[in-house]
Amino acid sequence: MKGASTNICYNVLDRNVHEKKLGDKVAFYWEGNEPGETTQITYHELLVQVCQFSNVLRKQGIQKGDRVAIYMPMIPELVVAMLACARIGALHSIVFAGFSSESLCERILDSSCSLLITTDAFYRGEKLVNLKELADEALQKCQEKDFPVRCCIVVKHLGRAELGMGDSPSQSPPIKRSCPDVQISWNQGIDLWWHELMQEAGDECEPEWCDAEDPLFILYTSGSTGKPKGVVHTVGGYMLYVATTFKYVFDFHAEDVFWCTADIGWITGHSYVTYGPLANGATSVLFEGIPTYPDVNRLWSIVDKYKVTKFYTAPTAIRLLMKFGDEPVTKHSRASLQVLGTVGEPINPEAWLWYHQVVGAQRCPIVDTFWQTETGGHMLTPLPGATPMKPGSAVFKQPWPGIMRTVYGNHERFETTYFKKFPGYYVTGDGCRRDQDGYYWITGRIDDMLNVSGHLLSTAEVESALVEHEAVAEAAVVGHPHPVKGECLYCFVTLCDGHTFSPKLTEELKKQIREKIGPIATPDYIQNAPGLPKTRSGKIMRRVLRKIAQNDHDLGDTSTVADPSVISHLFSHRCLTIQ
Ligand code: WTA
């Protein structure tokens, strides 16, 4: 593909509008956090907005190859912003809006982003998230580290109603919120309102023609050293791969209504909310809310409302909803559903069977798709209708054009992380078992990574957040089985002299982790550990700690533990309930 030139935004929008005549087709049905708060956007409308915003970015001096950070909830402007970057050849670096200001700052610095796009605030269920405040904190931290970001574009989302503008995403009257409007602070000279810039922007914009191997975006994923890796995907290979996997894995047909519940802040959202469906001219649902707000009917009522045909979600959501029984599902029709998908973590057979029997009424094939941020798109999956299914397994597919090309700014880390262990092979970091029929069963991570609700976290990342607290001398974090999250965090902390373990300290440590990483990394258990099991060379034995957390006395060989007495102490002081 070297030497070919293309533009992914052109392919997913202009080509669909002008060549395929899909201009009037709905690209997204947007469903807000609050039921009744909805809008829809056609391919033509999306193209116009993307061109306008591309012009805005160019006017702000953004050029091909520049990095743009995006920190937004699931609103149509997020799609517009990412496609506009792609149109002008700038790399988007989307940071999930559940990450802390510290994480955002770290990512902005790592790829030296010259501009940030964010939002005033949003609701996640009943929780108000003052995103602008977090964005401000992040930019302040960047400034302190001698990296001033010169421009921050802010979408008025929560305050949208007061704009009274035609471009409000609420075609129906905006919902009156019980919560008072958030006050956001404004940095003169840096902050600019999205809607004001868009009003002045022209709606035609020539795409920047890119080499197939030009970078398209950066997306950070946890790394076992604790420092997130900026995974780089390129225009041509990624485009081909997400378009093809979307088409075949979900057995796409023109009349489908596709719904992937993942946030665009993760790779699943990049590939199967934005690029894959749009490349195929599909209609999708874009959902801002959560499965349990205002109640557990939400997902199935949306399925019925838009007659969703293909539905793609995470095992953690299935396990969460399973707890509420069959009735919230079965009281909805779900007749439109044809294919169900899962992604993000191994699905336990019980959840698979419930998904198949209750949600899919035994007539929908399940595609359990195993893949990674690094792979761009699906790697192992059954094909609907073509592969006899077994609960919890995934079937191998061919190697692929959509593989990441490098770790941003650190190609050596790319080579050592993925290609060193087995020369000539790409290592995912997951264990896998192949059964006698040739099915692959993913058994979980083989490195120091944890998978909490489908989100990868590194133990090192959480441990370093813990030891930054003045009371903590040493910390060790292990994964622990959790009925909904799949895995949760169980932390052992050794305190510095003069500090005592207390519920107040536990709260402080949790807060510390939320601030350093984000709410997804909040531990469920924190145990006081006057000593940790270590080898004689001083290496913490996480294998032993995992067993202690589970009260499993079958420790295997402990002859290498330097001081065995710490083990019995830890067993007798285990955390019995979630804190
Ligand atoms: C895990 C998400 C079992 C795995 C797309 C992988 C899975 C990591 C599955 C990547 C699955 C993802 N079955 N495990 N179907 N899908 N995983 O980068 O550990 O956020 O390496 O990409 O999630 O997570 P990431």
Side-chain angles (χ1 to χ4, degrees):
M1 284 194 296
K2 197 100 186 119
S5 75
T6 186
N7 182 286
I8 191 168
C9 178
Y10 172 87
N11 271 291
V12 305
L13 294 181
D14 307 55
R15 190 180 53 95
N16 280 327
V17 171
H18 300 306
E19 285 173 35
K20 308 253 169 189
K21 308 290 176 215
L22 295 178
D24 294 333
K25 186 170 179 179
V26 172
F28 290 105
Y29 291 114
W30 180 73
E31 177 81 14
N33 181 64
E34 208 63 50
E37 205 179 18
T38 60
T39 190
Q40 59 186 50
I41 183 164
T42 64
Y43 273 84
H44 173 71
E45 289 163 342
L46 190 56
L47 174 60
V48 169
Q49 289 191 26
V50 168
C51 286
Q52 285 178 312
F53 196 65
S54 302
N55 288 326
V56 167
L57 289 175
R58 278 192 174 148
K59 203 166 165 194
Q60 292 305 319
I62 301 299
Q63 296 177 350
K64 184 175 178 191
D66 288 351
R67 280 79 55 212
V68 173
I70 302 181
Y71 188 52
M72 286 165 88
M74 287 283 280
I75 55 176
E77 287 88 346
L78 169 54
V79 178
V80 172
M82 68 198 291
L83 291 177
C85 289
R87 191 171 190 86
I88 64 169
L91 284 71
H92 53 74
S93 170
I94 303 183
V95 180
F96 173 55
F99 274 124
S100 64
S101 57
E102 187 111 356
S103 299
L104 174 60
C105 164
E106 185 180 20
R107 287 158 173 74
I108 290 175
L109 293 177
D110 185 74
S111 46
S112 46
C113 297
S114 25
L115 185 144
L116 172 67
I117 308 165
T118 189
T119 305
D120 51 356
F122 65 100
Y123 278 93
R124 189 177 150 75
E126 280 168 7
K127 189 168 162 246
L128 176 68
V129 180
N130 191 336
L131 201 66
K132 176 66 165 54
E133 191 173 284
L134 296 172
D136 285 348
E137 278 171 27
L139 293 190
Q140 178 64 33
K141 288 180 179 128
C142 290
Q143 172 92 42
E144 284 160 16
K145 299 198 168 154
D146 284 333
F147 188 82
V149 175
R150 57 187 152 82
C151 175
C152 175
I153 299 179
V154 187
V155 175
K156 197 164 207 166
H157 173 50
L158 217 54
R160 209 184 286 267
E162 72 202 45
L163 291 177
M165 284 173 38
D167 72 345
S168 159
S170 280
Q171 290 187 333
S172 42
I175 302 293
K176 291 273 173 289
R177 298 177 196 269
S178 52
C179 197
D181 272 349
V182 267
Q183 295 298 318
I184 63 166
S185 57
W186 200 252
N187 302 317
Q188 286 301 339
I190 295 180
D191 293 346
L192 297 166
W193 281 118
W194 170 291
H195 58 273
E196 291 180 5
L197 298 169
M198 289 290 269
Q199 263 170 352
E200 296 160 8
D203 54 14
E204 277 180 27
C205 175
E206 176 68 13
E208 185 79 40
W209 298 107
C210 301
D211 187 281
E213 284 295 307
D214 278 344
L216 171 63
F217 65 80
I218 304 170
L219 181 59
Y220 287 85
T221 185
S222 299
S224 46
T225 60
K227 185 175 155 44
K229 301 180 287 248
V231 169
V232 176
H233 281 288
T234 52
V235 178
Y238 177 82
M239 173 165 73
L240 174 67
Y241 200 60
V242 295
T244 311
T245 49
F246 176 80
K247 180 173 174 190
Y248 291 109
V249 174
F250 297 111
D251 184 27
F252 174 67
H253 288 85
E255 60 286 0
D256 274 336
V257 176
F258 181 73
W259 184 16
C260 165
T261 66
D263 194 288
I264 291 177
W266 307 106
I267 190 68
T268 307
H270 279 61
S271 301
Y272 301 109
V273 176
T274 303
Y275 290 112
L278 292 180
N280 283 275
T283 296
S284 295
V285 175
L286 181 68
F287 179 44
E288 186 191 21
I290 55 171
T292 49
Y293 180 81
D295 54 45
V296 294
N297 291 301
R298 191 72 193 271
L299 298 188
W300 321 120
S301 68
I302 296 175
V303 165
D304 280 0
K305 180 173 175 185
Y306 298 107
K307 308 257 177 309
V308 171
T309 54
K310 314 282 161 79
F311 179 72
Y312 192 32
T313 197
T316 186
I318 298 165
R319 289 191 298 263
L320 173 72
L321 294 173
M322 219 170 110
K323 286 200 310 189
F324 297 93
D326 300 358
E327 199 254 14
V329 184
T330 52
K331 76 179 189 204
H332 294 90
S333 151
R334 297 143 23 253
S336 55
L337 286 175
Q338 294 169 11
V339 176
L340 302 174
T342 71
V343 58
E345 50 180 315
I347 181 165
N348 46 313
E350 197 193 352
W352 191 99
L353 289 169
W354 188 79
Y355 200 30
H356 187 246
Q357 287 167 358
V358 180
V359 177
Q362 301 203 40
R363 46 176 188 80
C364 304
I366 293 182
V367 288
D368 174 2
T369 59
F370 167 81
W371 59 293
Q372 307 179 301
T373 306
E374 295 88 333
T375 70
H378 304 144
M379 291 306 291
L380 294 163
T381 176
L383 291 177
T387 315
M389 296 181 296
K390 292 189 187 186
S393 82
V395 179
F396 188 65
K397 268 187 86 192
Q398 291 299 306
W400 73 112
I403 186 174
M404 71 183 286
R405 299 298 197 272
T406 190
V407 170
Y408 190 82
N410 196 344
H411 195 71
E412 197 186 324
R413 187 170 179 200
F414 173 57
E415 291 180 354
T416 46
T417 309
Y418 303 103
F419 300 102
K420 205 168 157 197
K421 194 161 186 178
F422 301 105
Y425 293 87
Y426 167 85
V427 179
T428 64
D430 291 285
C432 171
R433 171 172 74 79
R434 187 167 57 192
D435 70 14
Q436 67 278 19
D437 301 324
Y439 283 58
Y440 289 86
W441 300 75
I442 309 298
T443 53
R445 301 293 306 183
I446 52 168
D447 50 14
D448 288 334
M449 305 289 269
L450 306 172
N451 194 326
V452 178
S453 301
H455 303 316
L456 279 193
L457 293 168
S458 81
T459 50
E461 193 177 12
V462 182
E463 287 162 5
S464 65
L466 285 168
V467 295
E468 275 182 47
H469 191 285
E470 54 163 15
V472 180
E474 193 164 34
V477 176
V478 295
H480 189 63
H482 186 282
V484 173
K485 301 180 188 177
E487 250 184 324
C488 66
L489 301 183
Y490 193 118
C491 310
F492 294 87
V493 291
T494 307
L495 301 187
C496 301
D497 282 350
H499 289 273
T500 40
F501 196 79
S502 65
K504 182 168 163 282
L505 178 65
T506 313
E507 268 320 302
E508 275 176 38
L509 294 176
K510 286 189 180 178
K511 186 160 167 271
Q512 168 106 353
I513 292 175
R514 276 195 287 268
E515 280 169 10
K516 295 273 166 202
I517 307 170
I520 46 165
T522 309
D524 280 19
Y525 303 92
I526 302 181
Q527 180 176 346
N528 184 18
L532 290 168
K534 291 183 182 170
T535 60
R536 272 165 242 277
S537 60
K539 224 172 166 301
I540 296 176
M541 300 176 79
R542 290 198 180 69
R543 171 180 72 78
V544 172
L545 290 172
R546 258 191 296 276
K547 296 232 164 155
I548 294 172
Q550 292 183 45
N551 203 20
D552 177 354
H553 287 262
D554 184 11
L555 296 180
D557 181 10
T558 52
S559 60
T560 54
V561 184
D563 175 6
S565 73
V566 300
I567 295 181
S568 50
H569 180 276
L570 291 179
F571 263 120
S572 54
H573 293 81
R574 277 176 50 244
C575 300
L576 299 177
T577 50
I578 290 181
Q579 286 151 335

